[in-house]
Amino acid sequence: MAGFFLHPFAMTPTDANPDKPVTDVIVIGAGIMSATLCVLLKTLDPTITIAGYERLDAVAAESSDAWNNAGTGHSAFCELNYTPERPDGSIDISKADKIAEQFELSKQFWASLALEGVLPDPTSFIRTIPHMSFVWGAANVEYLRKRHAALLHSPLFQGMEFSEDPDQIARWIPLVMDGRDRSVPVAATRMPIGTDVNFGALTRALSNYVKALPGVDFNLGHEVEDFRRKDDGIWRLKVRNLATDQSRIVRARFVFIGAGGGSLPLLEKSGIPEANGFGGFPVSGQWLKCRNPAVIARHEAKVYGKPAVGSPPMSMPHLDSRQINGQKELLFGPYAGFSTKFLKKGSYTDLFRSIELGNIRPLLYAGARNLGLTKYLIGQVLQSPEDRTAALREYYPTANPADWQLEVAGQRVQVIKKDKKQGGVLEFGTEMVTSADGSIAALLGASPGASTAVAIMLELVQKCFPRRATSSEWQARFRELVPSFGKHLADDPALTAQVRERSRQALKLDA
């Protein structure tokens, strides 16, 4: 088995420089994506050698950190932007079905790792919490009613409740109904099996496991500065130790760029033609964090509303009960903003350094067509504390500003890519870019991100290691780790119920 991995790509000859070791896989970045890929590969083939490089001095310190993302197990239970209304008034649930199924793959994978003793007590990173959508106004109430009816056609959304009764909604989410004008129609949906995930804790658990395995060398405080692929098919990466300021060359047969907002600049340095035309639009965020224990104790749900016109998906407003490092928290937001940084701990020159000849045209075209987004972000940046409190009171009418403090959330980079018809388009999802020979892959974009890490890494492995992925050994292991692998849950109610019950038990989730 190991022999094949030494030559995973058809055009890769035997390494001509035996003096310098060649690693099978190098991952750049220490977030949930890299950790998931490393565990998946070592589970498929324990002989694979892996090296990792992270420029910060901690794992999961950027987008995967609990304070830098919503922690919502994104499954389209409550996120209204995944169920757009068509011109004829019907509701399109195709994206919701896809995202819900992707999160079920994540739960199945985590459940398998928990059953095999790879992960610690699952309650340290995942718990059950209702996912709710809440709207007000006659038009929005009608939309939510139609959305609920449409979603019930899918087995992935069975059990979703709907109510227009203010008293019932008050029993579900008392803070949201306290002091609300009862003359304004309201509606809510509630999915009891929603989850809250501490992706920071999960990433650290996965990283701790894989770092202890033979053939794994992970390095914090190391920045990848440049890399090139030579004629022998081997990637050479220039890596700098930030503590000593010393650089060295490391070599690998496959490279994964999972550096969050830092992925785009690294992808551009790779020189692969598939990277041409990609750009990035950075969006920053802030939370209001509640510091009143009595208020925190009264809310037990993730409540999402309708996003403002022109806002990015990561800015969907939500009143969010969280469990972070054993402490119950309550957040509202995020408030979007604009920064030229690509990472929370990045540089203000990131955006400018990412602009090159190949992506100027897509950037300009996408910018011209998204002036509404630019206007929205400027408005968010200029918000006063009173403006933020007013937004909070739309979801918690009696909120006391003294109970809340402003916290900086994570930094995201929305993908801009070239388009034959439109010149350039701004994408709000996640984009995987791979070279034609499968020797390098990069992950760009934001939401739903971490929640779909397993689905994305399964796709990456099949695309970049096709011969191994189609072997009977790996196919069998895929099905052991993810029992619904290769099947569509939206088409199979019995299988959906079966895998959800398996995940519920293994991850110690509430019934």
Side-chain angles (χ1 to χ4, degrees):
M1 182 176 288
F4 175 85
F5 213 89
L6 293 178
H7 308 284
F9 313 110
M11 63 184 295
T12 303
T14 302
D15 185 64
N17 236 332
D19 298 351
K20 296 182 179 179
V22 182
T23 303
D24 290 327
V25 175
I26 281 181
V27 298
I28 305 173
I32 185 63
M33 296 295 177
S34 293
T36 300
L37 178 61
C38 290
V39 172
L40 178 58
L41 287 173
K42 290 295 281 187
T43 304
L44 290 166
D45 181 357
T47 69
I48 290 173
T49 57
I50 299 175
Y53 299 95
E54 163 62 48
R55 70 187 189 90
L56 300 180
D57 58 4
V59 169
E62 280 280 353
S63 297
S64 299
D65 181 76
W67 291 109
N68 291 341
N69 63 67
T72 304
H74 284 297
S75 44
F77 293 159
C78 56
E79 304 93 329
L80 300 180
N81 63 310
Y82 297 148
T83 49
E85 187 172 7
R86 299 186 181 99
D88 65 0
S90 63
I91 305 299
D92 181 0
I93 70 166
S94 58
K95 187 172 184 179
D97 259 339
K98 178 181 178 180
I99 290 173
E101 182 158 351
Q102 288 178 328
F103 186 63
E104 291 300 327
L105 297 182
S106 290
K107 287 199 298 181
Q108 290 175 63
F109 183 68
W110 302 336
S112 295
L113 297 182
L115 291 170
E116 295 179 6
V118 171
L119 286 175
D121 181 1
T123 61
S124 66
F125 67 86
I126 189 170
R127 70 185 182 109
T128 302
I129 186 169
H131 283 196
M132 298 187 61
S133 301
F134 175 77
V135 299
W136 58 90
N140 289 336
V141 169
E142 178 59 22
Y143 161 77
L144 196 63
R145 183 189 297 111
K146 292 190 296 184
R147 177 184 186 269
H148 174 254
L151 288 174
L152 288 183
H153 290 291
S154 169
L156 290 160
F157 297 90
Q158 296 304 303
M160 179 179 282
E161 304 165 81
F162 173 83
S163 180
E164 298 176 61
D165 178 4
D167 293 330
Q168 175 61 68
I169 297 173
R171 287 190 288 272
W172 286 339
I173 39 177
L175 293 186
V176 174
M177 295 305 293
D178 280 0
R180 189 168 293 277
D181 183 355
R182 293 296 181 102
S183 68
V184 177
V186 295
T189 55
R190 181 177 183 269
M191 194 66 167
I193 64 168
T195 54
D196 175 49
V197 184
N198 185 329
F199 285 105
L202 174 60
T203 302
R204 287 187 287 274
L206 293 171
S207 298
N208 289 338
Y209 166 75
V210 80
K211 283 191 295 185
L213 297 177
V216 177
D217 175 35
F218 206 87
N219 303 269
L220 298 175
H222 284 67
E223 184 170 21
V224 174
E225 297 182 310
D226 202 0
F227 48 98
R228 290 287 183 272
R229 188 168 187 248
K230 299 293 186 178
D231 292 340
D232 60 2
I234 303 297
W235 286 96
R236 273 80 167 170
L237 287 74
K238 182 181 178 183
V239 180
R240 182 162 60 98
N241 184 326
L242 299 180
T244 65
D245 203 33
Q246 297 295 310
S247 295
R248 61 189 173 105
I249 301 298
V250 296
R251 306 191 304 163
R253 298 176 180 86
F254 172 76
V255 177
F256 171 64
I257 306 174
S263 291
L264 177 61
L266 288 169
L267 178 62
E268 291 175 336
K269 290 180 179 181
S270 72
I272 61 172
E274 292 81 4
N276 187 44
F278 279 97
F281 186 86
V283 178
S284 61
Q286 295 176 315
W287 302 104
L288 281 180
K289 175 186 174 183
C290 187
R291 52 189 181 186
N292 185 332
V295 174
I296 296 171
R298 292 188 64 210
H299 189 72
E300 185 64 19
K302 288 180 175 288
V303 181
Y304 277 61
K306 291 201 77 172
V309 176
S311 65
M314 66 167 285
S315 299
M316 286 183 296
H318 44 99
L319 188 62
D320 197 348
S321 182
R322 299 287 305 275
Q323 193 79 23
I324 300 177
N325 303 328
Q327 181 80 25
K328 187 175 181 182
E329 306 283 358
L330 180 59
L331 306 176
F332 177 77
Y335 300 93
F338 175 75
S339 167
T340 54
K341 290 183 178 182
F342 276 4
L343 292 163
K344 188 174 180 178
K345 298 178 182 179
S347 166
Y348 286 108
T349 65
D350 287 342
L351 173 60
F352 308 108
R353 287 190 289 115
S354 75
I355 299 173
E356 53 184 25
L357 190 61
N359 65 16
I360 289 178
R361 185 170 181 266
L363 286 167
L364 292 175
Y365 273 92
R369 272 193 305 277
N370 288 276
L371 294 177
L373 173 60
T374 304
K375 181 179 178 182
Y376 167 79
L377 293 175
I378 292 173
Q380 291 277 292
V381 170
L382 297 176
Q383 276 189 326
S384 66
E386 292 75 21
D387 293 330
R388 287 189 284 267
T389 298
L392 169 63
R393 284 177 174 164
E394 290 186 329
Y395 290 85
Y396 176 20
T398 60
N400 180 353
D403 292 338
W404 301 79
Q405 66 185 43
L406 192 64
E407 297 282 348
V408 177
Q411 187 82 1
R412 301 290 187 271
V413 178
Q414 310 294 343
V415 178
I416 294 174
K417 62 181 183 179
K418 59 185 177 183
D419 181 85
K420 289 182 180 179
K421 293 183 178 180
Q422 303 181 59
V425 293
L426 180 64
E427 296 284 343
F428 289 113
T430 305
E431 187 88 16
M432 185 169 67
V433 183
T434 61
S435 61
D437 66 352
S439 67
I440 188 170
L443 200 66
L444 308 176
S447 183
S451 297
T452 60
V454 172
I456 294 170
M457 292 303 106
L458 285 170
E459 179 187 352
L460 183 150
V461 167
Q462 293 175 88
K463 191 170 184 178
C464 295
F465 309 102
R467 221 169 88 194
R468 297 297 299 277
T470 55
S471 68
S472 58
E473 294 86 359
W474 279 30
Q475 285 287 309
R477 191 61 174 137
F478 284 143
R479 289 189 291 272
E480 288 175 357
L481 294 168
V482 181
S484 71
F485 176 78
K487 301 176 182 178
H488 290 292
L489 295 177
D491 300 330
D492 196 332
L495 181 60
T496 299
Q498 179 184 333
V499 298
R500 276 186 169 166
E501 179 59 18
R502 174 183 180 272
S503 297
R504 184 192 70 79
Q505 292 186 27
L507 296 176
K508 301 181 182 180
L509 299 171
D510 295 339

